[in-house]
Amino acid sequence: MGSGMIAPILAALNQLPDPKFRMVLLKAVAMTLGVLIVLYTVVGYLVSGIDPFSLPWIGMVDPAGLLAGLAVGAMMLASVFLMIPVASLCIGFLLDDIAEAVEQKHYAHLPAATPPGLLTTIVDTVRFFAILVVANIAALAIYLLVAPLAPFIFYLVNGYLLGREYFQLVALRRLPPREASALRKSNRGRIWVMGVAMAVPLSIPVLNLIVPLIGVAAYTHLFHRLRGNVSTQAGFNTQAR
């Protein structure tokens, strides 16, 4: 990645000690874990008809409990792939909080943003979640055909989708839809590369809990960099080049 994409990521990482940033991080982690736990519970129940977190499957003495345990284990393995849509579903509801925390620290001189309403946010978040799921299911056929290239295809596809959606949502806080789309399309290359840089660690357990927050913060910086806005924080100049 060029310096134009490294600087936004570093700026996002440097803000982790910020109390407001940490609060959003805790919300994101709690929400993501909650969704994953619900998924494990539902799958275990559908497979065996019992609570997958109950004692029978832990003791591995009940056939149904064993089946539930295997189902939960499979879900945990699948979470490597599920984490990207799950994290995106959760972070979509917190995107404005993240962008606001970044702007209050780095771009306080700018007028207040006008984020989309709650209904629009819910619709956009659920729509993007569905797109991610469908795209990854469709890509399974390609993975089977070209297994050695599967990881690269996975990261390229999800990197494109994540970058496209996150940048667009960040841009819509300050631009009309047509202008936001035009800015995204004219910079699709760097937006895609940053999306891939976010998709790779999203497949790593534990680390994937904080990556979405860092990604949205980095896209907020990238948006302002492309718009020619300058950060008020010393040591990080986001002026467009």
Side-chain angles (χ1 to χ4, degrees):
M1 289 189 296
S3 61
M5 284 172 283
I6 292 176
I9 295 174
L10 291 178
L13 289 170
N14 288 337
Q15 197 173 345
L16 280 176
D18 185 322
K20 185 170 183 177
F21 215 60
R22 287 204 307 269
M23 183 57 65
V24 178
L25 173 61
L26 290 174
K27 289 180 184 178
V29 169
M31 190 180 296
T32 302
L33 287 175
V35 172
L36 288 174
I37 289 172
V38 168
L39 283 175
Y40 296 155
T41 305
V42 170
V43 170
Y45 181 79
L46 291 176
V47 169
S48 66
I50 66 170
D51 178 3
F53 293 100
S54 63
L55 292 178
W57 85 262
I58 294 176
M60 297 297 182
V61 295
D62 188 313
L66 176 59
L67 199 57
L70 292 175
V72 172
M75 281 293 293
M76 293 179 70
L77 180 62
S79 67
V80 172
F81 298 94
L82 286 173
M83 192 60 199
I84 288 181
V86 168
S88 298
L89 175 66
C90 297
I91 212 70
F93 294 104
L94 299 172
L95 183 139
D96 189 57
D97 291 341
I98 300 168
E100 184 180 346
V102 170
E103 291 179 345
Q104 284 184 355
K105 180 172 182 178
H106 290 272
Y107 309 96
H109 58 290
L110 297 178
T114 53
L118 179 60
L119 180 59
T120 301
T121 298
I122 293 174
V123 171
D124 285 345
T125 299
V126 173
R127 176 187 60 82
F128 180 51
F129 175 76
I131 290 173
L132 273 174
V133 171
V134 171
N136 279 282
I137 291 175
L140 283 175
I142 302 176
Y143 299 158
L144 295 175
L145 292 174
V146 286
L149 299 178
F152 300 100
I153 297 172
F154 174 80
Y155 293 131
L156 286 174
V157 169
N158 284 283
Y160 172 77
L161 292 171
L162 288 170
R164 184 186 188 282
E165 187 70 11
Y166 281 0
F167 184 86
Q168 183 79 6
L169 291 175
V170 167
L172 284 174
R173 298 177 69 254
R174 292 186 174 274
L175 294 176
R178 183 170 296 182
E179 290 183 31
S181 295
L183 183 64
R184 174 180 55 78
K185 290 175 182 177
S186 62
N187 295 279
R188 58 167 61 92
R190 66 179 72 184
I191 292 171
W192 190 352
V193 171
M194 189 178 288
V196 173
M198 183 166 58
V200 172
L202 266 173
S203 61
I204 302 174
V206 181
L207 182 60
N208 52 21
L209 295 175
I210 68 169
V211 170
L213 180 140
I214 299 300
V216 172
Y219 274 115
T220 302
H221 284 296
L222 179 61
F223 167 77
H224 286 293
R225 185 182 183 88
L226 296 176
R227 291 282 291 170
N229 297 326
V230 179
S231 170
T232 55
Q233 294 293 306
F236 179 61
N237 188 330
T238 60
Q239 192 168 12
R241 295 172 183 171

